[in-house]
């Protein structure tokens, strides 16, 4: 090959490569976009024009998809899941890069699986089922607000008006079930529930809808949340109006389908506006903007040109922005150098004779990249900011809250995921920190033209009397007693009747007695009947305990209660030796010994310096005894030594404590009664093995066994006050009980009849009595408020005084029960301290004596002895004797000091004389 040929070959090769690169980077002239919705529907009519307008605007805009035309391929789902699925397959055959739709959540669930296989993103402007956000549907992207947020808005409204139960009326399909499931979760965060779910089959006629509403109307909730499609919704309110359910006392909260109907229909066309007066309606919030107003003007012009009679609704705004979202994503997709190619799936092939043409379905090769570009969308459309969060939902979800009245509706507030309910627009609140504490709405005109907020519930079965269970007891008739069917009296009944009269609405009551009156019924059994809906409430002396609160709801306590121990006592007979009883024999002996000890110690400390402690041995013994015991009555001022005063101060403190304790103990012994059993409180009760009585039917038995670990064999069930007294009087040795454990109100009544029993120890539980209602019953909260009102007004106390005017025993002070004698153990620390002080003083004293004696002996030895002294020294044995030490101790300290001083002076004079003699000798 020649050089010229080689150069030509390279040039051809370079030209071919350049052509290939140019072809690879060229934008397609047209891109197919699919649309899937129901043409002839409230949402579809608005969306159809909006989608077409958006496609025209995109194609006319040179900044987006420059050089590429967006081609729209629409299919009508005809409000049918089956036909919609078929149309979706046909739409996929046309090699669309994305689909605007579907409109229906049901179709969305089906064709999302197709989109997953073909990698074609779905952008739905109307399928609001929260379940479509699952990871199972990666190619489904919602371009409107999920019902998850709408149901949170409904829950916020329910909580704002303090309703606790709602009835959910919904169409029984994916859309309805998904919304109601989200509603239940949202209400749970507000401590509210869906008390009844009224499911309506799709495409139901008026008769079926009426049957569903009749059943819902038999429930107690009057807060109706309606989550259906527009066609079913119209029939619902027509039937509800005939059943007089859109009247005073009812609350209707309707999701955004009704707002779409109202916005799409001119007021003159709404012939049935009277059926929906007073409703609260939600609508997706779209902020005001120039782009929104311009779009509305263009949509209205197109609608007039096409003779479209329905109006624009919020779904039309989201459909318009959906097209722009896809257009921007395609633009970014092509700018990144990607190509729009489709490939066949070898798994999709037509069998012999198969006319489904599955082989025509092709996979969008760039579907994954297109989906990523869609998720990165960030622009401002006619609905406001269009951007997807980490949960693939639109950011800044918000709703308008409307109140239907007259020939239209008025705005009463907003809800946003940022700040909850407010009267300020969400776009303003999003510029501020979140604040969900200041919830606010404007006043509402409720059904029946009422401005008074409905309480939100009635009694079931349209006013059937409240079934109130009352225990028919064998004892304590002052609390609850039955005189025949429905005829009950007692303190608890009076409190209930008085409280229920304070409610702002009438409550018919039917009392149902439980028990035969010969034995107390099980109280937890009655509460279980309330939980099982056999009864609506339980009224009586019901303690608010853990087992009960787990299955029912109690009111505010109207009586304070708690477990106490009652035991028999005996009066102490008069005794001539009662003054010795405060102290035990051991205590008396130790106290007397300590008195003598202190007397001896003080005598030793004062003997050498105080004339009052000197004299004959007999006089000194008397002085010791007199001084010791006289300190009980007087403080001696003639103590001269510092150590003596120190010991005396400590001893006087000890005497003060002993005197006070003796006086208190003697007073107690002379006035109190003594326990027969020796049980003085909870600790001794647990430690003993004596039988314990309790009231049959109450929670006491379970508490003693489970909480205090007392064997069941020790427990004896009792029913009446007489059984209480008989069992205590017989005692454990004669088939009775040692003590009875019961709630204090019962014991107070019991002790008002029997004065030979007393409460011992302290109350060891804290609870109260309340009325039991079914869980989440609104009556429980209202009755609690009424009970508080009775308490604050003093009427609760007056009812108590009317029933319990019987005077009790002369004294029921539990501190006067079971006085005990004081032993050494009570004062061991005090006595030990006093003994140590005495020992310390003696040690110091003897050290000082030894030192003085040593000084005295030294001075005596240094003195020049006389002839007589020398003879005495020769006769005295070497060393000092104990007798001499005692003689030294017996001498007065003043005399010792005087002798030592005189000896010192003599020694000095002698030294001076010796010095003079030496001087004279030196002179000679």
């Amino acid at each position: 090959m020649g050089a010229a040929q080689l150069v030509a070959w390279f040039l051809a090769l370079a030209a071919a490569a350049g052509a290939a690169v140019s072809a690879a980077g060229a934008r397609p002239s047209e891109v197919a976009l699919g649309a899937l919705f129901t043409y002839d529907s409230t949402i579809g009519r608005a969306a159809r024009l909006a989608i077409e307008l958006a496609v025209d605007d995109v194609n006319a805009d040179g900044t987006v998809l420059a050089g590429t035309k967006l081609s729209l391929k629409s299919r009508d789902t005809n409000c049918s899941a089956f036909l919609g699925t078929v149309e979706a397959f046909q739409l996929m055959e046309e090699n669309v890069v994305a689909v605007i739709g579907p409109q229906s959540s049901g179709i969305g669930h089906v064709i999302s699986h197709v989109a997953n296989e073909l990698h074609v993103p779905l952008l739905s402007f109307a399928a609001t089922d929260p379940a479509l956000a699952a990871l199972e549907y990666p190619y489904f992207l919602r371009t409107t607000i999920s019902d998850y947020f709408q149901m949170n808005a409904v829950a916020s409204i329910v909580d704002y008006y303090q309703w606790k139960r709602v009835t959910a009326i919904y169409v029984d399909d994916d859309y309805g079930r998904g919304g109601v499931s989200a509603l239940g979760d949202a209400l749970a965060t507000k401590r509210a529930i869906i008390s009844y779910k009224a499911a309506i089959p799709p495409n139901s006629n008026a008769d079926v809808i009426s049957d569903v509403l009749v059943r819902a109307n038999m429930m107690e909730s009057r807060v109706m949340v309606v989550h259906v499609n527009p066609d079913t919704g119209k029939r619902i309110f027509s039937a509800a109006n005939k059943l007089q359910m859109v009247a005073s006392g009812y609350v209707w909260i309707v999701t955004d389908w009704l707002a779409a109907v109202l916005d799409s229909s001119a007021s003159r066309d709404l012939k049935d506006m009277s059926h929906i007066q007073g409703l609260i309606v939600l609508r997706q919030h779209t902020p005001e903007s120039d782009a929104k107003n311009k779009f509305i003007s263009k949509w209205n012009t197109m609608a007039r040109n096409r003779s479209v009679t329905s109006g624009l609704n919020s779904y039309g705004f989201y459909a318009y922005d959906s097209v722009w979202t896809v257009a921007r994503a395609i633009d970014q997709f092509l700018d990144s150098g990607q190509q729009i190619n489709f490939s066949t799936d070898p798994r999709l092939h037509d069998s012999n004779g198969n006319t489904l043409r599955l082989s025509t379905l092709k996979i969008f090769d760039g579907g994954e990249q297109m989906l990523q570009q869609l998720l990165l969308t960030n622009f401002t459309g006619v609905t406001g900011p269009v951007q997807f969060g980490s949960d693939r939902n639109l950011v800044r979800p918000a709703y308008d809250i409307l109140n239907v009245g007259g020939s239209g509706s008025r705005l009463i507030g907003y809800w946003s995921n940022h700040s909850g309910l407010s009267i300020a627009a969400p776009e303003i609140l999003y510029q501020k920190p979140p604040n969900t504490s200041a919830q606010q709405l404007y006043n509402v005109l409720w059904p029946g033209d009422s401005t008074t907020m409905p309480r939100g519930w009635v009694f079931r079965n349209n006013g059937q009397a409240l079934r109130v269970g009352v225990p028919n007891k064998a004892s304590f008739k002052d609390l609850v007693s039955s005189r025949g069917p429905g005829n009950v009296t007692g303190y608890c009944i009076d409190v209930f009747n008085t409280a229920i009269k304070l409610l702002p609405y009438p409550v018919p009551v039917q009392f149902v007695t439980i028990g035969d009156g010969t034995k107390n019924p099980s109280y937890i059994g009655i509460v279980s009947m309330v939980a099982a809906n056999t009864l609506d409430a339980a009224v009586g002396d019901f303690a608010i305990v853990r087992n009960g609160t787990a299955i029912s709801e109690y009111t505010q306590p109207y009586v304070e209660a708690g477990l106490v121990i009652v035991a028999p006592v005996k009066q102490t007979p008069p005794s001539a030796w009662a003054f010795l009883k405060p102290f035990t024999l051991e205590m008396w002996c130790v106290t007397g010994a300590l008195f003598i000890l202190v007397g001896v110690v003080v005598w030793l400390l004062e003997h050498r310096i105080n004339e009052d402690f000197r004299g004959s041995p007999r006089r000194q013994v008397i002085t010791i005894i007199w001084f010791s015991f006289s300190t009980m009555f007087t403080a001696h001022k003639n103590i001269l030594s510092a150590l003596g005063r120190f010991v005396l101060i400590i001893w006087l403190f000890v005497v003060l404590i002993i005197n006070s304790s003796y006086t208190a103990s003697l007073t107690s012994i002379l006035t109190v009664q003594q326990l027969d059993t020796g049980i003085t409180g909870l600790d001794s009760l647990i430690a003993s093995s004596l039988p314990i009585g309790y009231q049959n039917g109450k929670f006491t038995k379970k508490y003693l066994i489970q909480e205090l670990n007392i064997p069941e064999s020790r427990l004896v069930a009792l029913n009446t006050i007489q059984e209480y007294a008989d069992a205590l009087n017989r005692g454990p040795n004669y088939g009775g009980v040692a003590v009875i454990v019961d709630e204090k109100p019962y014991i107070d009544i019991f002790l008002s009849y029997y004065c030979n029993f007393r409460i011992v120890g302290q109350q060891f539980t804290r609870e109260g009595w309340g009325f039991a209602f079914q869980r989440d019953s609104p009556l429980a909260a209202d009755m609690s408020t009424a009970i508080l009102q009775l308490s604050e007004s003093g009427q609760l106390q007056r009812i108590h005084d009317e029933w319990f005017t019987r005077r009790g025993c002369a004294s029921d002070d539990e501190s006067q029960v079971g006085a005990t004698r004081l032993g050494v153990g009570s004062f061991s620390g005090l006595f030990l301290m006093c003994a140590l002080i005495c020992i310390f003083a003696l040690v110091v004293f003897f050290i000082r004596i030894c030192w003085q004696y040593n000084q005295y002996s030294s001075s005596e030895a240094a003195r020049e002895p006389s002839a007589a002294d020398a003879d005495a020294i020769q006769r005295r044995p070497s060393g000092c004797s104990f007798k001499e030490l005692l003689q030294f101790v017996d001498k007065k300290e003043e005399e010792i000091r005087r002798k030592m001083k005189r000896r010192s002076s003599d020694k000095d004079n002698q030294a001076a004389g010796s010095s003079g003699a030496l001087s004279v000798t030196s002179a000679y």
Side-chain angles (χ1 to χ4, degrees), residues 130-208:
L132 286 169
L135 298 177
E136 182 183 6
Y137 310 118
Y139 281 88
F140 180 89
L141 200 58
R142 195 188 334 263
T143 54
T144 187
I145 304 176
S146 169
D147 278 341
Y148 168 82
F149 299 105
Q150 180 165 214
M151 295 310 167
N152 274 273
V154 172
S156 294
I157 296 173
V158 171
D159 182 62
Y160 178 77
Y161 292 108
Q162 298 182 1
W163 297 314
K164 295 301 179 184
R165 294 189 175 192
V166 305
T167 293
I169 303 173
Y170 63 100
V171 61
D172 195 8
D173 59 8
D174 292 319
Y175 162 73
R177 289 189 298 270
V180 169
S181 176
L183 176 61
D185 294 340
L187 288 174
T189 64
K190 307 293 185 181
R191 297 181 61 85
I193 62 169
I194 300 175
S195 59
Y196 182 71
K197 294 181 179 180
I200 298 176
N203 303 316
S204 297
N205 56 33
D207 293 336
V208 173

Side-chain angles (χ1 to χ4, degrees), residues 341-674:
N341 295 319
F342 293 85
S343 59
T344 58
D345 189 342
R347 296 172 299 173
L348 297 176
H349 61 275
D350 298 322
S351 303
N352 294 331
N354 191 343
T355 60
L356 292 179
R357 297 186 305 169
L358 295 178
S359 59
T360 60
L361 297 176
K362 296 182 180 181
I363 298 175
F364 178 26
D365 296 336
E368 177 66 27
Q369 291 77 12
M370 179 67 74
L371 177 62
Q372 296 304 317
Q373 292 297 336
L374 288 169
L375 291 173
L376 295 175
T377 298
N378 188 359
F379 71 97
T380 301
V382 297
T383 59
V386 181
Q387 183 181 357
F388 298 100
S390 58
D391 58 354
R392 299 164 62 97
N393 284 311
L394 289 177
V395 299
R396 297 189 176 183
Y399 284 89
D400 299 333
I401 302 175
L402 310 175
N403 181 210
V404 179
S407 59
S409 61
R410 63 185 182 92
L411 186 69
I412 61 171
Y414 304 91
W415 178 89
S416 68
N417 197 40
H418 181 72
S419 298
L421 299 175
S422 67
I423 57 175
E427 54 269 22
I428 297 175
L429 296 178
Y430 271 112
Q431 308 303 320
K432 302 177 181 179
N435 180 18
T436 57
S437 59
Q439 304 293 284
Q440 187 178 5
L441 292 176
Y442 289 115
N443 293 333
V444 176
L445 180 67
W446 303 101
D449 294 331
S450 173
T451 57
T452 302
M453 184 192 75
R455 72 172 186 264
W457 65 276
V458 295
F459 298 104
R460 290 188 178 185
N461 299 326
N462 288 328
Q464 181 180 354
L466 193 73
R467 299 164 299 174
V468 177
V470 177
N472 189 10
K473 298 165 60 71
S475 61
F476 301 104
K477 299 291 188 179
D478 291 341
L479 297 172
V480 178
S481 64
S482 174
R483 299 179 180 177
N487 184 11
V488 292
T489 59
Y491 166 69
C492 302
I493 303 301
D494 277 5
V495 172
F496 176 78
N497 288 334
T498 306
I500 211 164
K501 290 177 182 178
L502 295 178
L503 300 181
Y505 45 85
V507 180
V509 174
Q510 177 188 356
F511 290 108
V512 180
T513 55
I514 310 297
D516 56 9
T518 60
K519 185 175 69 173
N520 294 343
S522 170
Y523 277 63
I524 194 64
I526 298 176
V527 175
S528 299
M529 294 174 67
V530 175
N533 197 29
T534 305
L535 298 171
D536 297 315
V539 171
D541 44 343
F542 287 88
I544 304 175
V545 292
R546 183 177 65 247
N547 291 340
T549 56
I551 58 177
S552 64
E553 188 161 341
Y554 286 85
T555 63
Q556 174 80 14
Y558 63 91
V559 170
E560 292 185 1
L563 292 178
V564 295
I565 303 170
V566 63
V569 294
K570 61 181 179 180
Q571 297 288 342
T572 304
S575 173
W577 301 99
F579 68 92
L580 295 176
K581 291 185 177 180
F583 292 161
T584 62
L585 177 62
E586 183 185 19
M587 178 66 181
W588 280 117
C589 294
V590 173
T591 303
L594 200 58
F595 269 98
I596 299 299
L597 173 64
V598 172
V600 172
V601 170
V602 174
W603 174 80
L604 285 172
L605 298 175
E606 293 292 318
H607 175 69
R608 303 180 66 235
I609 62 175
N610 196 332
E611 289 291 343
D612 292 341
F613 290 85
R614 299 186 67 82
S616 64
R618 177 176 178 272
R619 181 171 180 262
Q620 291 186 54
V621 170
I622 294 174
T623 299
I624 291 174
I625 296 174
W626 170 83
F627 175 82
S628 299
F629 291 97
S630 65
T631 53
M632 296 177 60
F633 314 104
T634 182
H636 293 270
K637 299 180 180 179
N638 59 341
I639 303 300
L640 302 180
S641 68
L643 285 174
R645 290 176 179 177
F646 178 61
V647 171
L648 183 62
I649 289 175
I650 300 301
W651 175 243
L652 290 177
F653 174 72
V654 174
V655 170
L656 174 64
I657 299 301
I658 293 175
N659 278 339
S660 301
S661 302
Y662 176 84
T663 303
S665 182
L666 180 61
T667 303
S668 177
I669 288 174
L670 294 177
T671 57
V672 305
Q673 301 109 353
Q674 297 299 313

Side-chain angles (χ1 to χ4, degrees), residues 128 147 149-154 157 169-171 175-176 179-180 183 224-230 233 237 252-262 279-284 315 399-400 402:
T128 56
D147 278 341
F149 299 105
Q150 180 165 214
M151 295 310 167
N152 274 273
V154 172
I157 296 173
I169 303 173
Y170 63 100
V171 61
Y175 162 73
V180 169
L183 176 61
M224 310 291 181
V225 178
V226 184
H227 185 59
V228 295
N229 54 56
F237 285 106
W252 292 86
I253 302 175
V254 188
T255 54
D256 53 21
W257 65 266
L258 182 56
V261 173
L262 295 175
L279 273 60
I280 294 178
V281 183
L282 277 73
R283 178 179 62 193
Q284 298 99 326
Y315 287 102
Y399 284 89
D400 299 333
L402 310 175

Side-chain angles (χ1 to χ4, degrees), residues 211-286:
D211 291 341
V212 173
L213 292 179
V214 167
R215 289 194 297 272
N217 200 38
M218 295 176 65
M219 302 297 120
E220 65 181 13
S221 174
R222 284 296 179 264
V223 180
M224 310 291 181
V225 178
V226 184
H227 185 59
V228 295
N229 54 56
D231 293 334
T232 302
K234 294 176 183 178
R235 292 193 290 269
I236 286 176
F237 285 106
S238 176
N241 187 66
K242 294 178 181 178
L243 295 171
Q244 299 182 350
M245 294 176 63
V246 191
S248 180
Y250 287 85
V251 177
W252 292 86
I253 302 175
V254 188
T255 54
D256 53 21
W257 65 266
L258 182 56
V261 173
L262 295 175
D263 292 339
S264 299
S265 304
S267 59
R268 61 180 179 274
D269 296 332
L270 296 177
K271 301 178 182 179
D272 298 327
M273 282 295 294
S274 60
H275 298 171
I276 57 175
Q277 295 294 303
L279 273 60
I280 294 178
V281 183
L282 277 73
R283 178 179 62 193
Q284 298 99 326
H285 174 73
T286 54

Side-chain angles (χ1 to χ4, degrees), residues 705-771:
I705 296 174
Q706 294 184 353
E707 302 296 332
L708 303 183
N709 297 320
I710 294 177
E712 187 175 358
S713 59
R714 291 180 58 190
L715 304 181
V716 179
L718 304 171
N719 287 291
T720 65
I721 294 178
Q722 291 73 22
E723 290 182 12
Y724 277 32
D726 293 342
L728 288 172
N729 285 327
R730 289 198 308 271
N733 296 328
Y734 299 96
V737 297
V739 295
I740 289 176
V741 177
D742 207 347
E743 294 172 88
K744 194 171 186 302
Y746 300 121
I747 299 304
D748 289 340
I749 297 175
F750 171 67
L751 295 180
S752 68
Y753 289 92
Y754 297 95
C755 294
N756 54 329
F757 308 106
R758 285 291 180 270
I759 295 174
V760 296
Q762 300 295 322
Q763 179 176 312
F764 56 90
T765 64
R766 299 288 178 184
E767 67 265 351
W769 289 355
F771 306 131

